[in-house]
Amino acid sequence: MLLNKKIIATVAATTLLFACNEAKQSDKNILSKTTVNQKVTSDKSTSAELGPLHVASPKWQDQIIYFLMIDRFNDGNLHNSDQGVGVYERGAKDKYNGGDLQGVIDKLDYIKQLGATAVWTTPQVANQWWDPVAEFWGYHGYWARDFKSVDEHYGKLEDYQQLAKSLHAKNMYLIQDIVVNHTGNFFYYDGDYDEQNVKQNFKINTGSIPSVSASQFPFTQHDVNKVEHQQANIFNWTPSILDITVHKQETTYQTSGLDDMNTKNPVVRNALKDSFGYWIKEAGVDAFRIDTAKYVEKEFYEDFLHGDDGIVTTAKSTGRNDFFTFGEIFEMSQPFTDRAEKKITDYLGTDENPRIDAPLSFPLYNEIKQVFAGGRPTSYLSYRVDAAMKWYKDPFRAVNFIDNHDVERFLANGTLSGFKQAYAFMMSIPGIPVIYQGDEQAHLLSRQAMFAGGYGSEQDQFNQASDMFRFIQTLTKIRTQHKVFSRGSIEFIQENASGPGILAYKREYNGKTAYVILNSAEQTALLSRLPTSFDEDNQPTILLAENIDKTLPFAEDGTLTMEMPARSILVLIGNSRASQPSKSMTQEISVAPIPAEFNNVTSAIIQGMTTAPHAELIKIIDGNIEQAEKFSSDAQGKWRTNLPLDGLGNHQHAVEIFWPEKNYVTNKFTYSMNSTIVSGMAAVDDLIGDDKGPADQYIKPGYQADNCYLDIDSVQARTGGNILELTIKMCDISNAWAPPNGFDHLALTIYFNDKKASGLKALPLLNSAMPQQGTWNVAHSAFGWGNYVFATDGASSTQEGTILNYTPIITVNHQSKEIKMIYHADKLGIDDWLAVDLYLTTWDKDEGGDYRLINETPSKWHFSDSAQNSPKIADDAFMTILRQN
């Protein structure tokens, strides 16, 4: 039964005002102690050097962007933090924390010292502060109520103008985040939607704070029950998106319940041109990042940006002849496919019909995380960069990133050494790199504040001596000082198609050649006969050597063969010249032909010859020299050795034979293995409708109430050799937000118990323990935006353990409602799958990657139960793998 919305609004407002009064009291001491200091800071900022409001456009491909959330960056003016309606709570995860424009101005020297040349902030426009329907706060800035005003929490127009002038004085630039798809949530549909009767189940969000509608015309016309509003047609009268694959829903339905503007309406287009052109003219904005760009019809951008009265024309009137725009087109491609790039290209347009200048590189973001945090093949990245170079109108202006405010931090799933590699990669490939606030301080929380007392930060986070700050600072100096990294051609010359390991590429520009070489593996890998422009007499300059000896053994022909330590990085630069032809080594070590495929076999032999007897050789699989097998040729120079095979499924590998004494190495021979041989199995059927906890008493969150995304139908495990294939059939699978892993509104955690190893009983963060008095050794956490494996080292009931450099492969079949996962036993530290226990649990995680809470009272986003320390398990399944006869 629905309660009267006015009653709900009154109760919500009263509660918020009460919380606000408490917050005011707690902040009185802060204000009294800091008023003098605040005045000094303000005076200092006012007297600081200011540049012009309007400056010419830079060469955007040479820029380095620092992205920050205004509310979470720095609180420069405590007096505007609390607006008196209970939406501010310093340190709260979801409420306003107090950051503002003055705070950004005060820390520009910090950003400049890091090496950034442009600042992109979350939207500064006046926002909806509290949405009782979504049960969330608008501190992030993406719920506009007035596109032409600065939000009261952030400051005034003069503060925004001062930010632009202060940046321009430092030869830096201001990038504004704009939203052309939606306003805040001022209306919604509660019940079934009828396209022919859009008044049915239509509701006004009467509890919205600080207003129940937008305050800027024409967006005030939001009530479909008023004839003049319906006729004005400012909004698409639609519900939230249910199926993102339906084009009409993608471009006209509500994104996360936010009021979808009718961007085909000339009145709306003109209002948006006027609103955002205003900030260029009045506030000196130099570029736009366009939020939720794919949720608007592609043709809109031809008019909005490039029409006679569009944004580009407005910018030119201020002297900006290259006003840069880049859009959030949240699409991912599967490895070695380019579906997302093709779709993104449609939003970029052509030279004849231009649209957005460049994309935010979500396909590349996904592969960066897969490779450097998940241990996937480095060839993922070479393919992905090549796809961008092929499809994007100007790939040198594609905006690349590792972290942002909408995804889990890299370090939530990855290691610091992997994070450094990700940054070295991003800073050395074509495209404009983005540093997200807190990356330079190795933050783990997605929206962690930088200032003391803000969310997740007891102390100030502006440490210029931190390890990650200095590392990024080194990279920005390299990129800024050597234009080959922002303008040069790129060619990938060595990679690993089977797993983590070597990734090497060459950049060339204006007579300079640079080489970037990384080993993404957790063990030493062989850099094998890398062709370069250098030799003993023409040594390059080493720009960066991380975890590696600086002695480089170039051969006479310019090739470089050496052991690359785990997680090492090498960046070289020198004068361009033709690479020398590589010396043939087939006369030194010969290899008999190796089949390209092995089908349903459990062992194989390869053989060959060496030019000397009793040669000490090493067989290297996929570049992994630490786990390489040593063997010798016989008195006649003949050799033979076995070739390891994975097991169930299809797998690709490469083998090479290394003669360390001579520093000779053969070519890489690639081969695939296909097996249907099953050695172990387990299966369990699970009841439908039992997704309400161990005692079947939880009330699911409002967004889950009418769905069964947490309900397991059945689970099947099949093993063969090193491989486990796990198929989980769910009651239903959601894909509303098109997450990279193919499912959302569900977090699966799978625990493995290898009885031959010691384990832990407690299930971290779930308020539960392994069933049947068992333990677990390694666990896999998978949800829409996260996929990682952790061990028991450092684990407890309140903390997950050490994250491994490995992520299982996940595929989703929405028609059959199946999630399939592929595991490698050796990557998990398991010797044999037989007799291993598997325990699967379902729950959900929030936007920050945290398991959703259990409250006493029902809500939209939390589970509810009378006992708040109940297990965070909606449904589960237990099985033991047994030998298959």
Side-chain angles (χ1 to χ4, degrees):
M1 179 182 293
L2 294 175
L3 298 176
N4 185 287
K5 291 293 179 181
K6 289 185 178 180
I7 295 175
I8 294 175
T10 302
V11 172
T14 302
T15 303
L16 287 167
L17 283 169
F18 177 76
C20 167
N21 290 332
E22 287 190 326
K24 279 183 173 180
Q25 285 296 119
S26 65
D27 277 346
K28 279 184 179 180
N29 292 334
I30 298 175
L31 284 169
S32 63
K33 290 178 181 179
T34 59
T35 300
V36 175
N37 292 334
Q38 183 65 50
K39 185 178 188 302
V40 172
T41 302
S42 297
D43 290 343
K44 181 179 179 181
S45 300
T46 303
S47 61
E49 180 184 356
L50 297 179
L53 187 65
H54 300 298
V55 295
S57 299
K59 293 284 186 182
W60 282 105
Q61 70 193 64
D62 294 333
Q63 306 310 305
I64 298 171
I65 298 172
Y66 187 88
F67 171 45
L68 61 87
M69 299 191 75
I70 299 174
D71 178 68
R72 300 298 166 87
F73 185 65
N74 189 37
D75 191 350
N77 181 2
L78 290 171
H79 296 285
N80 60 20
S81 298
D82 190 346
Q83 293 297 316
V85 290
V87 298
Y88 163 71
E89 183 182 341
R90 197 177 188 87
K93 179 179 180 178
D94 297 327
K95 293 186 178 182
Y96 283 86
N97 271 222
D100 48 40
L101 293 171
Q102 184 60 55
V104 180
I105 295 167
D106 292 344
K107 293 298 181 181
L108 290 184
D109 284 340
Y110 168 85
I111 297 172
K112 186 176 178 67
Q113 285 296 315
L114 184 60
T117 62
V119 173
W120 155 28
T121 78
T122 46
Q124 85 290 352
V125 300
N127 244 232
Q128 179 185 27
W129 298 341
W130 164 249
D131 178 4
V133 176
E135 296 183 6
F136 209 79
W137 293 261
Y139 67 87
H140 44 73
Y142 294 95
W143 297 349
R145 73 177 196 274
D146 187 342
F147 289 113
K148 291 182 72 172
S149 296
V150 174
D151 193 271
E152 294 85 344
H153 290 92
Y154 302 152
K156 299 179 179 179
L157 172 62
E158 292 77 14
D159 297 310
Y160 201 44
Q161 291 170 327
Q162 185 179 342
L163 174 58
K165 291 178 180 179
S166 299
L167 283 165
H168 295 160
K170 300 176 186 296
N171 294 315
M172 298 172 72
Y173 304 93
L174 176 60
I175 301 173
Q176 180 179 351
D177 206 327
I178 69 169
V179 182
V180 296
N181 174 65
H182 58 262
T183 64
N185 179 25
F186 300 110
F187 69 81
Y188 62 101
Y189 283 86
D190 187 7
D192 293 336
Y193 173 70
D194 184 352
E195 188 176 336
Q196 304 303 315
N197 180 15
V198 293
K199 293 183 179 181
Q200 179 179 310
N201 295 322
F202 177 89
K203 305 289 182 181
I204 295 294
N205 190 358
T206 56
S208 170
I209 295 176
S211 60
V212 297
S213 78
S215 56
Q216 177 192 5
F217 187 83
F219 307 111
T220 52
Q221 301 177 86
H222 74 298
D223 188 347
V224 74
N225 291 309
K226 296 181 178 179
V227 175
E228 63 275 20
H229 287 197
Q230 186 175 17
Q231 291 178 344
N233 209 25
I234 302 302
F235 295 95
N236 291 312
W237 311 110
T238 51
S240 293
I241 295 171
L242 292 177
D243 187 348
I244 195 65
T245 64
V246 178
H247 180 69
K248 183 176 181 179
Q249 290 193 31
E250 183 180 51
T251 56
T252 64
Y253 278 32
Q254 294 188 16
T255 306
S256 191
L258 299 166
D259 302 352
D260 195 86
M261 294 183 287
N262 179 11
T263 44
K264 293 182 179 180
N265 186 337
V267 176
V268 173
R269 290 189 177 189
N270 290 336
L272 293 174
K273 291 177 192 175
D274 173 68
S275 295
F276 296 119
Y278 169 84
W279 297 109
I280 301 172
K281 293 182 293 185
E282 299 300 323
V285 170
D286 300 300
F288 285 161
R289 180 266 191 178
I290 305 173
D291 180 70
T292 52
K294 78 167 186 175
Y295 295 100
V296 177
E297 68 277 4
K298 298 179 288 289
E299 297 77 14
F300 165 82
Y301 298 105
E302 295 176 19
D303 179 40
F304 172 68
L305 296 174
H306 303 282
D308 292 340
D309 58 347
I311 294 301
V312 171
T313 299
T314 299
K316 285 182 177 179
S317 71
T318 67
R320 294 172 173 83
N321 292 324
D322 186 13
F323 188 84
F324 182 51
T325 59
F326 59 101
E328 181 194 32
I329 304 155
F330 200 125
E331 293 285 338
M332 314 289 192
S333 291
Q334 290 297 314
F336 309 116
T337 68
D338 51 12
R339 182 201 64 81
E341 285 85 351
K342 291 177 182 178
K343 180 171 181 175
I344 287 169
T345 296
D346 288 341
Y347 288 86
L348 308 182
T350 62
D351 291 338
E352 294 76 24
N353 294 296
R355 293 170 183 169
I356 302 171
D357 289 330
L360 259 177
S361 300
F362 275 96
L364 181 64
Y365 147 78
N366 189 45
E367 308 268 74
I368 286 175
K369 191 171 182 180
Q370 297 255 26
V371 170
F372 294 118
R376 295 292 176 83
T378 59
S379 55
Y380 280 22
L381 288 173
S382 58
Y383 184 95
R384 192 59 53 221
V385 171
D386 286 344
M389 300 300 289
K390 174 183 177 180
W391 288 105
Y392 296 163
K393 186 169 59 176
D394 186 352
F396 291 89
R397 307 213 300 181
V399 179
N400 301 329
F401 68 99
I402 297 167
D403 281 331
N404 71 24
H405 58 324
D406 287 330
V407 300
E408 264 208 320
R409 292 270 191 184
F410 182 101
L411 287 172
N413 299 165
T415 63
L416 184 62
S417 57
F419 195 37
K420 288 183 174 181
Q421 288 194 314
Y423 256 94
F425 176 77
M426 179 179 68
M427 289 286 181
S428 60
I429 62 170
I432 304 170
V434 175
I435 304 165
Y436 176 45
Q437 71 167 62
D439 274 4
E440 74 278 14
Q441 302 300 336
H443 280 184
L444 298 176
L445 302 175
S446 178
R447 298 185 177 185
Q448 184 173 345
M450 295 287 288
F451 59 95
Y455 167 61
S457 296
E458 294 183 3
Q459 299 177 340
D460 184 288
Q461 299 292 303
F462 299 100
N463 180 11
Q464 296 188 42
S466 71
D467 177 49
M468 200 64 201
F469 184 98
R470 289 183 172 179
F471 183 77
I472 293 178
Q473 188 180 56
T474 297
L475 294 175
T476 58
K477 286 180 180 178
I478 290 172
R479 185 176 179 92
T480 302
Q481 292 172 4
H482 302 281
K483 292 295 186 285
V484 66
F485 295 111
S486 59
R487 303 184 185 186
S489 62
I490 187 167
E491 177 188 358
F492 288 87
I493 48 181
Q494 198 164 128
E495 61 198 27
N496 191 341
S498 306
I502 298 295
L503 179 68
Y505 46 98
K506 178 173 69 173
R507 306 292 311 274
E508 288 188 299
Y509 179 74
N510 272 6
K512 291 292 183 182
T513 300
Y515 292 86
V516 180
I517 309 164
L518 308 118
N519 174 17
S520 67
E522 296 293 344
Q523 58 276 328
T524 302
L526 182 68
L527 180 66
S528 176
R529 299 169 59 195
L530 184 81
T532 76
S533 302
F534 313 125
D535 55 37
E536 292 291 343
D537 298 323
N538 179 38
Q539 291 281 335
T541 299
I542 299 176
L543 298 177
L544 179 66
E546 181 82 6
N547 300 332
I548 195 168
D549 185 0
K550 295 185 180 181
T551 302
L552 305 178
F554 289 101
E556 291 180 5
D557 61 1
T559 59
L560 184 59
T561 297
M562 60 183 291
E563 294 185 10
M564 290 283 291
R567 292 295 193 178
S568 53
I569 307 168
L570 185 62
V571 182
L572 314 173
I573 195 167
N575 295 323
S576 297
R577 72 175 190 177
S579 300
Q580 301 296 318
S582 297
K583 180 181 178 181
S584 174
M585 296 182 184
T586 56
Q587 295 177 353
E588 308 293 339
I589 314 175
S590 64
V591 181
I594 298 176
E597 279 189 0
F598 295 91
N599 295 304
N600 282 337
V601 295
T602 57
S603 64
I605 298 292
I606 60 174
Q607 57 190 351
M609 291 282 297
T610 60
T611 54
H614 305 297
E616 298 292 330
L617 306 176
I618 300 177
K619 175 184 61 187
I620 302 173
I621 305 295
D622 300 332
N624 184 347
I625 199 168
E626 280 190 17
Q627 296 181 6
E629 180 181 339
K630 294 180 180 180
F631 64 101
S632 301
S633 62
D634 63 16
Q636 288 74 45
K638 296 180 180 179
W639 61 264
R640 59 189 281 127
T641 184
N642 69 303
L643 199 61
L645 305 177
D646 291 60
L648 188 64
N650 303 313
H651 311 280
Q652 184 176 358
H653 293 285
V655 61
E656 52 197 329
I657 308 300
F658 184 36
W659 190 350
E661 180 185 357
K662 303 280 189 179
N663 203 32
Y664 291 160
V665 63
T666 65
N667 293 327
K668 285 185 180 179
F669 296 91
T670 59
Y671 57 94
S672 63
M673 298 178 297
N674 309 305
S675 175
T676 58
I677 301 173
V678 176
S679 57
M681 283 194 68
V684 62
D685 291 327
D686 192 68
L687 294 173
I688 293 297
D690 64 341
D691 56 343
K692 297 178 182 178
D696 196 33
Q697 64 185 25
Y698 296 165
I699 298 175
K700 291 189 289 188
Y703 76 96
Q704 293 265 14
D706 299 323
N707 303 304
C708 57
Y709 304 135
L710 306 177
D711 203 351
I712 298 172
D713 185 322
S714 63
V715 184
Q716 181 188 68
R718 302 194 312 155
T719 70
N722 188 44
I723 304 300
L724 164 66
E725 179 187 276
L726 187 66
T727 303
I728 308 165
K729 185 172 183 180
M730 302 298 297
C731 172
D732 198 4
I733 297 177
S734 170
N735 193 34
W737 281 96
N741 289 330
F743 59 93
D744 51 24
H745 298 327
L746 166 67
L748 282 163
T749 312
I750 300 112
Y751 300 89
F752 298 87
N753 178 26
D754 180 359
K755 300 180 183 69
K756 294 186 292 293
S758 60
L760 186 69
K761 290 183 178 181
L763 304 182
L765 307 175
L766 295 189
N767 298 327
S768 188
M770 278 288 284
Q772 302 184 20
Q773 302 299 311
T775 61
W776 62 275
N777 323 107
V778 65
H780 175 210
S781 176
F783 54 104
W785 288 264
N787 179 21
Y788 61 96
V789 173
F790 59 93
T792 52
D793 294 343
S796 67
S797 61
T798 59
Q799 182 174 316
E800 293 178 340
T802 302
I803 293 175
L804 306 185
N805 181 38
Y806 169 68
T807 55
I809 294 173
I810 299 175
T811 57
V812 178
N813 186 323
H814 292 96
Q815 288 187 331
S816 63
K817 301 175 183 177
E818 290 182 339
I819 301 171
K820 181 176 290 186
M821 299 176 179
I822 305 295
Y823 301 92
H824 291 71
D826 59 331
K827 302 293 186 182
L828 301 180
I830 295 174
D831 293 329
D832 188 348
W833 287 115
L834 296 180
V836 169
D837 295 331
L838 276 68
Y839 181 49
L840 292 77
T841 70
T842 70
W843 198 249
D844 196 14
K845 293 190 175 185
D846 63 20
E847 68 284 349
D850 296 325
Y851 288 106
R852 292 199 181 275
L853 300 176
I854 300 176
N855 290 341
E856 289 188 18
T857 56
S859 72
K860 182 168 185 176
W861 300 112
H862 300 117
F863 293 78
S864 59
D865 184 43
S866 57
Q868 293 187 45
N869 62 346
S870 300
K872 292 180 180 178
I873 298 173
D875 198 3
D876 63 358
F878 182 90
M879 59 175 60
T880 302
I881 298 173
L882 301 176
R883 185 179 299 279
Q884 179 72 11
N885 296 322

